[in-house]
């Protein structure tokens, strides 16, 4: 995987190293708590052999070199399939990206909407970049073509084509005639 990171509009604002000196606190503690830079309208792109894997947009982002971390607020990530077409979009209040592995954690009103109409909601979601997989231990709701699946613990590809619930699964399925069938149990 190759990553191209581009920071746009509003510009980066590197913090003055002199601002790190704080009486009574060591520089290592401050280096880990103060961002090295802040940027508005952040954009990062992950590619693999010239194909875009995902593209992250954030209203604002802070980078922490000592922790290899980017904290993004007002987050949107577009995921792309093997043909280069957008397959889904994740939105969240904030996210945290490891600057080395590009693994991410999204938090707060996390929603994945696929181009085919499937919608997944939760409060916290991890993205494993190398495996191109998402997972969570939190409560998840998936809406697809009128059917609703809920449960705790979830793993999937970002396009929500192959997903699995881990426990306390409940399904409400609409029949062709408009009736509702409710079922508990199962994982997929």
């Amino acid at each position: 995987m190759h990553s191209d990171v581009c920071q746009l509009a509003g510009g980066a604002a590197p913090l003055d190293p002199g601002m790190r000196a704080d009486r009574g606190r060591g520089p290592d503690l401050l280096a880990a708590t103060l961002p090295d830079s802040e940027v508005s309208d952040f954009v990062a792109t992950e590619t693999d052999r010239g194909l875009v894997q995902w593209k992250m947009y954030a209203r604002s982002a802070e980078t922490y070199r000592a922790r290899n971390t980017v904290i993004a607020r007002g987050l949107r990530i577009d995921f792309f399939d093997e043909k280069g077409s957008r397959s889904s979009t994740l939105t969240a209040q904030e996210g945290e990206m490891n600057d080395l592995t590009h693994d991410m954690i999204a938090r707060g009103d996390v929603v994945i909407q696929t181009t085919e109409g499937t919608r997944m909601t939760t409060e916290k979601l991890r993205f494993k970049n190398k495996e191109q997989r998402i997972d969570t231990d939190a409560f998840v709701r998936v809406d697809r073509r009128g059917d609703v699946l809920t449960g705790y613990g979830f793993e999937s590809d970002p396009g929500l084509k192959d997903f699995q619930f881990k426990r306390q699964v409940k399904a409400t399925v609409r029949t062709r005639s408009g009736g509702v069938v409710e079922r508990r149990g199962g994982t997929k």
Side-chain angles (χ1 to χ4, degrees):
M1 298 250 174
H2 172 71
S3 176
D4 300 313
V5 177
C6 177
Q7 298 175 353
L8 304 173
L15 297 180
D16 178 359
M19 292 173 58
R20 294 190 187 274
D22 185 14
R23 292 180 194 141
R25 289 180 146 185
D28 291 339
L29 176 61
L30 285 175
T33 58
L34 289 176
D36 294 293
S37 65
E38 296 174 292
V39 65
S40 304
D41 300 320
F42 177 84
V43 177
T45 301
E46 180 81 358
T47 61
D48 184 15
R49 288 173 248 180
L51 284 176
V52 175
Q53 300 290 302
W54 53 261
K55 199 165 193 174
M56 176 197 294
Y57 304 88
R59 185 178 62 252
S60 63
E62 301 168 344
T63 59
Y64 298 84
R65 276 187 249 141
R67 297 185 294 178
N68 296 311
T69 302
V70 175
I71 305 289
R73 291 183 179 43
L75 180 66
R76 183 182 106 214
I77 302 171
D78 290 335
F79 292 101
F80 296 85
D81 63 20
E82 59 282 344
K83 296 175 187 167
S85 299
R86 186 173 56 83
S87 60
S88 65
T89 299
L90 177 149
T91 57
Q93 291 177 358
E94 72 173 22
E96 183 174 315
M97 179 177 71
N98 179 299
D99 210 17
L100 300 175
T101 64
H102 298 156
D103 290 348
M104 297 180 244
I105 299 173
R107 293 184 195 90
D109 299 324
V110 180
V111 176
I112 294 183
Q113 180 72 49
T114 72
T115 55
E116 295 177 349
T118 302
R119 179 181 174 92
M120 189 226 54
T121 57
T122 190
E123 280 302 307
K124 182 178 179 182
L125 188 69
R126 285 180 297 273
F127 171 66
K128 298 174 192 168
N129 188 49
K130 185 176 181 182
E131 295 87 1
Q132 292 291 299
R133 299 292 291 173
I134 58 171
D135 71 59
T136 186
D137 292 325
F139 178 80
V140 171
R141 176 183 170 118
V142 174
D143 294 88
R144 180 167 41 181
R145 294 184 292 270
D147 301 335
V148 178
L149 300 162
T150 61
Y152 289 86
F154 183 82
E155 183 177 341
S156 180
D157 60 288
L160 303 179
K161 292 194 182 297
D162 176 33
F163 61 83
Q164 180 175 352
F165 282 91
K166 302 207 174 150
R167 63 189 186 285
Q168 297 180 11
V169 180
K170 181 179 174 185
T172 304
V173 179
R174 302 228 176 261
T175 64
R176 290 182 192 174
S177 62
V180 175
V181 177
E182 193 169 302
R183 181 175 166 230
R184 295 178 189 268
T187 58
K188 215 169 187 179

